[in-house]
Each structure stands twice: as structure tokens, then as C-alpha cells.
């Protein structure tokens, strides 16, 4: 396991961190907590993931991820077939960036746990994210924390739950749920027989 926590990480620092990953082919867990990392640094980190085929757990926390970096990250995840746990906590991700994250889920067929925290998610992006969940048959746990989600977004998420038969745990943190949406969400949970 490799864990790195810092406030600022220079490009050279990320490069050295990434080189360490490349020399650890049996690496199973990576945790990167850093408020500010440049696009160059994040791309080096993403490229290093390609050299960690045994990776099972990845956790990233940062203030902002650009579209190009998110695409690079998504491409790298495709080289981690054993990935089971994905955690992404980012204050600012664009719609295009979230679309790329959804693509990550589609290619992580062994995923059992997905945790996503962001400030805001558009209806189109949530629809894409929800559709991706349908392609994760082994999914056991979903944690979604987004203060600003519309009723349509919650409906899309609820519909995805109907297609996750192995789902055991759901955590949804949002600004509020209307009575109608709560009823819709509750009805969807009836289609998750493994829910605990």
C-alpha cells in the first residue's frame, strides 16, 4: 500500500511518487490526498497506475481535476482489472470530467465499492453515472455525496439501483429530498434484494 498526504505537491514530487508505483507491480492500494496538484503531475500519476495491474483500491482527494487529467485517469484505470474500490473526492469536476469518471466505472467490472464526493452534478452527468452503475454487476456499496442534486438526478440514481442486484449498502448525502422523490427512491430499493 502507498499513501501520500500533502497540501502542495510539485511536478517533480509527483514524478518521484509515480516512479515508486512503477517499481511495485504487486501494489494493491493507492491513496493520494493533496489539495493542489498540477495537470502534469496528475497525468504522471495516472500513467503510473498502468504499471499496477494488481491494484484493488484507489482513493484520490484534491480540489480540482481538469478534463484532460480525468480522461488520463480513466484510461489508466482500464489497466487495473482487479480494481474493487474507487473513491474520488474532488471539489470541482466539470461535466466532461464526470463523464470520464463514469467511463472508469464501465471498465472496472470487479468494482465492489464506489464513493463519489463532489459539489455539484448536472442531470446529464448523473444520468451517465447511473447508466455506468448498471455495468457494475459486482457492486456492493455506493456512497454519493453531492449537496446540489435535482429531483431528476435522484431519479436517475434510483433507476440505477434497480439494476444493481448485488448492492448491499447505499449512502446518499444531498441537500434534501422531496416526499415524491423519497417515495421513488424507496421503491427502487425494493429491487435491490441484497440490500442490508
Amino acid at each position: 500500500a502507498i499513501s501520500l498526504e500533502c497540501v502542495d505537491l510539485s511536478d517533480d514530487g509527483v514524478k518521484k511518487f509515480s516512479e515508486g508505483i512503477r517499481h511495485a507491480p504487486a501494489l494493491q492500494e493507492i491513496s493520494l490526498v493533496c489539495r493542489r496538484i498540477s495537470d502534469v503531475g496528475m497525468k504522471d500519476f495516472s500513467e503510473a497506475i498502468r504499471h499496477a495491474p494488481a491494484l484493488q483500491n484507489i482513493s484520490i482527494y484534491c480540489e480540482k481535476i481538469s478534463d484532460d487529467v480525468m480522461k488520463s485517469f480513466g484510461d489508466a484505470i482500464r489497466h487495473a482489472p482487479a480494481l474493487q474500490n474507487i473513491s474520488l473526492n474532488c471539489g470541482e469536476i466539470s461535466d466532461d470530467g464526470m463523464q470520464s469518471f463514469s467511463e472508469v466505472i464501465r471498465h472496472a467490472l470487479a468494482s465492489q465499492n464506489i464513493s463519489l464526493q463532489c459539489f455539484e452534478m448536472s442531470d446529464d452527468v448523473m444520468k451517465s453515472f447511473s447508466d455506468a452503475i448498471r455495468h457494475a454487476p459486482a457492486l456492493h456499496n455506493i456512497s454519493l455525496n453531492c449537496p446540489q442534486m435535482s429531483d431528476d438526478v435522484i431519479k436517475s440514481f434510483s433507476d440505477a439501483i434497480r439494476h444493481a442486484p448485488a448492492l448491499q449498502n447505499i449512502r446518499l448525502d444531498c441537500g434534501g429530498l422531496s416526499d415524491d422523490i423519497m417515495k421513488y427512491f424507496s421503491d427502487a430499493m425494493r429491487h435491490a434484494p441484497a440490500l442490508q
Side-chain angles (χ1 to χ4, degrees), residues 98-180:
M98 278 304 305
Q99 294 281 10
S100 294
F101 181 72
S102 297
E103 284 300 312
V104 167
I105 297 171
R106 291 178 186 273
H107 293 271
L109 298 181
S111 293
Q112 296 180 9
N113 307 292
I114 296 174
S115 177
L116 174 63
Q117 182 169 343
C118 61
F119 180 70
E120 184 175 4
M121 221 185 281
S122 72
D123 292 356
D124 287 344
V125 165
M126 190 61 200
K127 184 178 179 181
S128 178
F129 177 71
S130 299
D131 186 61
I133 291 173
R134 295 184 174 95
H135 294 79
L139 192 62
H140 289 169
N141 306 295
I142 299 177
S143 178
L144 181 60
N145 185 334
C146 190
Q148 298 184 28
M149 287 192 281
S150 69
D151 285 359
D152 286 341
V153 164
I154 300 295
K155 280 188 175 183
S156 293
F157 181 68
S158 299
D159 288 339
I161 293 171
R162 297 174 185 266
H163 297 268
L167 195 62
Q168 296 179 4
N169 302 291
I170 302 171
R171 178 174 179 177
L172 178 62
D173 294 328
C174 58
L177 293 175
S178 68
D179 291 345
D180 288 343

Side-chain angles (χ1 to χ4, degrees), residues 4-18 32-42 45:
L4 176 64
E5 296 186 20
C6 60
V7 176
D8 289 286
L9 193 58
S10 69
D11 292 347
D12 285 342
V14 178
K15 188 174 182 179
K16 290 178 181 178
F17 178 67
S18 300
L32 177 62
V33 179
C34 192
R35 289 179 59 192
R36 289 181 291 274
I37 308 177
S38 73
D39 283 5
V40 172
M42 279 302 297
F45 174 71

